[in-house]
């Protein structure tokens, strides 16, 4: 149980185009989903946190208009990289947890396999 | 600010020998600490977590980690490495100030296991 999938697993696009990445919780309802970015040989950096039905909370330095996040259902969140440029090339990873964030306890995050984006 | 430092970017061991992956943390508060493993083409998997209970934490696949406040360390160990343990390992801190669901990742340690 607790499987998270991402689609596509890799994508190549031209500079200036937009790319949508899907994150799905396959066997549980995810009220909270997280989007991370991982540069080669570096750690994961949290980009944003989204709760189902509400606007995403972006980390400092992440452009909201550049990285559009939609969490329309309890099993699906999407990340759209708008007007992509070569510097947006990276490995994007999502995770999902069963309950919304509680400050008093940790709700385990289940991670997807990631999507590699290459912008030419 | 909270952070984690993984002291080794690469560790190589022989099958059947002990594994030690080192992690030091920096936190103004009592943190929650985790170790995740990432196998190629698979999502990160939680190995174990420390959340202010027992300082010696046992995880899956024979891994364990000990929280040492005096040394600000949370090293991951396994008595005997298997070939299937070869993967990328991340030490992670979750600061209470950001809500326990915000994870801060270390840079990762790539573990190689050779016959």
């Amino acid at each position: 149980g607790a499987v998270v999938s991402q689609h596509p697993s890799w994508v190549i696009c031209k500079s200036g185009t937009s790319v949508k990445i899907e994150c799905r919780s396959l066997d549980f309802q995810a009220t909270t989903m997280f989007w991370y970015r991982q540069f080669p040989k570096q750690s994961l950096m949290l980009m944003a946190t989204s709760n189902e039905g509400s606007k995403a909370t972006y980390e400092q330095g992440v452009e909201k208009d550049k990285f559009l996040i939609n969490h329309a259902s309890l099993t699906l969140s999407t990340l759209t990289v708008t007007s992509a440029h070569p510097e947006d090339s990276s490995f994007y990873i999502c995770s999902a947890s069963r309950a919304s964030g509680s400050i008093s306890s940790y709700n385990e995050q289940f991670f997807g396999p990631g999507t590699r984006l290459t912008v030419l | 600010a909270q952070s984690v430092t993984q002291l080794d970017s690469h560790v190589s061991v022989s099958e059947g020998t002990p594994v030690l992956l080192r992690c030091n943390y920096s936190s103004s508060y009592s943190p929650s600490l985790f170790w995740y493993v990432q196998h190629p083409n698979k999502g990160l998997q939680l190995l174990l977590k420390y959340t202010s209970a027992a300082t010696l934490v046992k995880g899956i696949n024979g891994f364990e980690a000990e929280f040492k406040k005096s040394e600000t360390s949370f090293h991951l160990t396994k008595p005997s490495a298997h070939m299937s343990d070869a993967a990328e390992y991340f030490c992670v801190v979750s600061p209470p100030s950001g809500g326990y669901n915000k994870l801060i990742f270390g840079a990762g340690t790539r573990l190689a296991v050779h016959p």
Side-chain angles (χ1 to χ4, degrees):
Chain A
V3 178
V4 176
S5 70
Q6 282 185 240
H7 178 79
S9 55
W10 59 269
V11 57
I12 301 173
C13 68
K14 293 182 179 180
S15 186
T17 61
S18 294
V19 175
K20 180 184 284 188
I21 301 170
E22 293 185 349
C23 176
R24 292 181 185 273
S25 57
L26 298 183
D27 52 5
F28 67 101
Q29 293 187 328
T31 53
T32 306
M33 287 186 166
F34 305 82
W35 285 96
Y36 296 84
R37 184 174 179 176
Q38 185 179 25
F39 291 101
K41 301 187 188 299
Q42 295 188 29
S43 62
L44 281 74
M45 301 292 292
L46 179 65
M47 299 174 65
T49 302
S50 71
N51 290 298
E52 184 264 339
S54 60
K55 290 184 178 179
T57 301
Y58 290 81
E59 294 299 303
Q60 191 173 4
V62 177
E63 299 177 59
K64 300 177 184 181
D65 296 331
K66 176 75 171 175
F67 299 100
L68 300 179
I69 292 172
N70 183 276
H71 190 170
S73 78
L74 288 171
T75 60
L76 174 65
S77 176
T78 60
L79 167 68
T80 302
V81 183
T82 62
S83 186
H85 291 282
E87 58 265 30
D88 298 324
S89 298
S90 192
F91 195 54
Y92 293 88
I93 300 173
C94 75
S95 71
S97 64
R98 288 191 173 94
S100 59
S102 166
I103 202 164
S104 62
S105 65
Y106 173 68
N107 298 305
E108 182 174 348
Q109 293 183 30
F110 301 96
F111 286 81
T115 296
R116 184 161 303 284
L117 169 63
T118 301
V119 184
L120 303 176
Chain B
Q2 286 75 25
S3 65
V4 287
T5 301
Q6 293 184 244
L7 301 171
D8 307 293
S9 58
H10 290 84
V11 170
S12 182
V13 300
S14 298
E15 189 175 22
T17 64
V19 175
L20 170 64
L21 304 183
R22 298 182 295 167
C23 172
N24 285 102
Y25 69 91
S26 172
S27 177
S28 304
Y29 304 94
S30 182
S32 291
L33 292 159
F34 313 83
W35 276 97
Y36 277 86
V37 60
Q38 185 179 36
H39 290 276
N41 301 317
K42 291 186 178 181
L44 280 83
Q45 181 183 20
L46 179 65
L47 279 178
L48 49 80
K49 64 182 179 184
Y50 166 77
T51 54
S52 76
T55 56
L56 181 61
V57 183
K58 294 187 183 298
I60 62 172
N61 301 334
F63 285 95
E64 62 181 39
E66 186 172 7
F67 174 74
K68 291 187 176 180
K69 187 174 181 179
S70 60
E71 299 176 9
T72 61
S73 69
F74 191 58
H75 301 332
L76 181 70
T77 60
K78 183 173 181 177
S80 176
H82 292 184
M83 297 295 290
S84 60
D85 293 329
E88 186 89 19
Y89 291 79
F90 292 94
C91 183
V92 180
V93 64
S94 181
S97 58
Y100 283 105
N101 293 285
K102 183 170 182 175
L103 303 180
I104 298 173
F105 283 76
T109 298
R110 182 163 296 276
L111 175 65
V113 182
H114 49 85

